[in-house]
Amino acid sequence: MPPSTPRFLTLADVAEVLNVTVRQVYALVRSGELRGIQIGGRGQWRIENDQLEDYITRQYARAEVQDDERTEDVTSDR
């Protein structure tokens, strides 16, 4: 039985999941923030599901650190 979700996603698939544009996903891949692979003669990008989940987890951790820093700034201003 095939998996319920494909192992690899297109840039458009990732854009839909993240609710951003394909250009934004392409920029994330090109910058290395989101790991992807190029396949085929035309070099189409694919992102593995696990890599997308890792990226999302890192973004949550980054947001948490930023929230903590903002809280520290507010309390130190008092």
Side-chain angles (χ1 to χ4, degrees):
M1 184 161 96
S4 58
T5 54
R7 178 176 176 184
F8 291 97
L9 303 168
T10 64
L11 296 183
D13 294 335
V14 173
E16 186 175 332
V17 169
L18 296 177
N19 197 27
V20 298
T21 66
V22 172
R23 283 182 175 209
Q24 288 171 308
V25 175
Y26 180 73
L28 289 171
V29 171
R30 294 293 293 169
S31 72
E33 282 189 73
L34 177 59
R35 290 184 64 198
I37 59 171
Q38 283 187 293
I39 60 167
R42 296 174 58 187
Q44 297 179 359
W45 286 98
R46 295 293 183 269
I47 290 82
E48 197 167 8
N49 265 320
D50 291 345
Q51 293 299 322
L52 177 57
E53 291 303 321
D54 287 346
Y55 171 77
I56 292 168
T57 300
R58 288 193 313 271
Q59 293 307 98
Y60 273 115
R62 182 174 156 196
E64 189 172 312
V65 167
Q66 289 173 346
D67 286 345
D68 290 346
E69 288 172 355
R70 276 188 239 128
T71 302
E72 288 174 9
D73 288 344
V74 170
T75 57
S76 66
D77 287 343
R78 292 183 183 175

